[in-house]
Amino acid sequence: MLFRSAFTEKLDRYLTHPLYGMAAFVAVMCGLFWVLFVLASVPMDLIEALFGGLASTIAGVLPPGPVQDLLTGGIIGGLSGTIVFLPQIALLFFLISLLEDTGYLARAAFVMDRLLSRFGLPGQAFVPLLTAHACALPGIMSTRLIPNRRDRLATIMVAPFMSCSARVPVYVLLTTMLFANRPTLAGLAFAGCYVLGAAAGLFTAGLFGRTVLKGQPRPLILELPPYRTPSLKNAILAAKDQSFSFLRSAGTVIMAICIVMWWLSAYPHTSPPQEAIALRAQ
């Protein structure tokens, strides 16, 4: 027991260090997002293929017209646009629960509090901002864990600046077009998009802290929990609860917005200009 206590104290000396702790945090987050994007890509592709096949089947059964367009482009497109993010959200909360059970998440919040407090955000904002990288809506929902109302509002206002998974295709398209046949520059530009989003969020938080949300963030007071072996059962239950909560609370809103956006883009029916057709072909 004495050896274990001495070892954990030595480990905390590095994990909570301003320099080594930040390096460890970056390494853990890079590993988390690598696992997130690699593992979640398979079920996301399956979901898109499933809904694409369903839309093709309905298009083959129903005659062309407004009803077919509504079902294939509006309702099925809205469902696909909602459920396609579910694997990333479930996997992200699963990994966050594992990190929390190990005791590292409290150390990460302690390390990030030094940085976030300079921009008017509390250390507790770390988890919602991390969650917002999968989808901003679950990140905003998780801000209810922040006790102070001012800190909670500040975190809600900057969460949409984090680069969620819906922006990844846009980043890929832009970096591929701007840096064709230059993969190194394309990779740096892709990473720069994430950095730019986080920097814009921190800048906006600092701006809010000096204008509409004046005040200092609440000091972070926490007791570092002991290191433990994570529980897979707790992680699975946390992922399930957060996934159903996302579908109930945010999924309906996303689906409704997708249907409205489809309607606005589909009507009135007009032929695309030749410049747009040429650009699409290119």
Side-chain angles (χ1 to χ4, degrees):
M1 181 67 68
L2 183 61
F3 169 77
R4 182 178 180 84
S5 177
F7 174 75
T8 55
E9 287 183 5
K10 186 176 181 180
L11 190 61
D12 283 341
R13 203 174 301 131
Y14 286 98
L15 291 181
T16 59
H17 190 272
L19 180 60
Y20 300 131
M22 185 61 70
F25 169 78
V26 172
V28 170
M29 290 301 105
C30 288
L32 185 145
F33 282 112
W34 182 83
V35 172
L36 180 66
F37 285 113
V38 170
L39 295 185
S41 62
V42 176
M44 291 177 72
D45 293 340
L46 291 176
I47 291 173
E48 290 183 344
L50 176 63
F51 279 97
L54 180 60
S56 300
T57 302
I58 293 177
V61 173
L62 294 178
V67 176
Q68 184 201 92
D69 293 341
L70 174 62
L71 290 176
T72 57
I75 297 177
I76 295 179
L79 285 173
S80 175
T82 301
I83 301 177
V84 73
F85 298 115
L86 194 60
Q88 279 193 337
I89 292 171
L91 184 58
L92 178 62
F93 279 106
F94 176 80
L95 296 175
I96 288 177
S97 179
L98 291 180
L99 287 176
E100 187 175 10
D101 280 350
T102 60
Y104 174 73
L105 209 58
R107 275 87 179 169
F110 178 80
V111 171
M112 290 302 296
D113 182 67
R114 298 190 182 101
L115 174 64
L116 296 178
S117 61
R118 298 177 181 178
F119 295 93
L121 292 174
Q124 294 97 333
F126 156 70
V127 174
L129 295 182
L130 175 63
T131 307
H133 281 85
C135 182
L137 290 175
I140 292 174
M141 291 163 56
S142 62
T143 57
R144 60 179 179 268
L145 301 177
I146 301 176
N148 185 269
R149 182 177 180 273
R150 181 260 172 205
D151 297 343
R152 188 164 56 251
L153 288 176
T155 306
I156 290 173
M157 296 296 288
V158 302
F161 284 97
M162 303 299 111
S163 296
C164 67
S165 57
R167 303 178 190 178
V168 173
V170 180
Y171 292 167
V172 173
L173 176 64
L174 291 178
T175 55
T176 303
M177 290 179 59
L178 295 176
F179 303 102
N181 301 322
R182 290 181 288 178
T184 302
L185 292 178
L188 291 175
F190 185 87
C193 293
Y194 274 83
V195 175
L196 181 62
L202 294 178
F203 173 78
T204 305
L207 183 63
F208 283 150
R210 290 169 174 79
T211 54
V212 294
L213 296 175
K214 291 183 179 180
Q216 294 296 321
R218 186 175 181 179
L220 179 64
I221 301 175
L222 57 83
E223 180 180 358
L224 295 180
Y227 291 100
R228 299 184 300 267
T229 302
S231 172
L232 291 177
K233 180 180 178 181
N234 291 341
I236 293 173
L237 290 176
K240 179 181 74 68
D241 292 341
Q242 294 295 337
S243 299
F244 281 116
S245 177
F246 167 75
L247 290 177
R248 287 193 305 267
S249 303
T252 53
V253 177
I254 295 177
M255 180 178 174
I257 292 175
C258 288
I259 294 176
V260 171
M261 294 300 295
W262 164 81
W263 181 271
L264 293 176
S265 63
Y267 293 95
H269 288 295
T270 57
S271 300
Q274 294 297 323
E275 293 81 0
I277 297 176
L279 181 61
R280 181 179 299 175
Q282 182 182 357

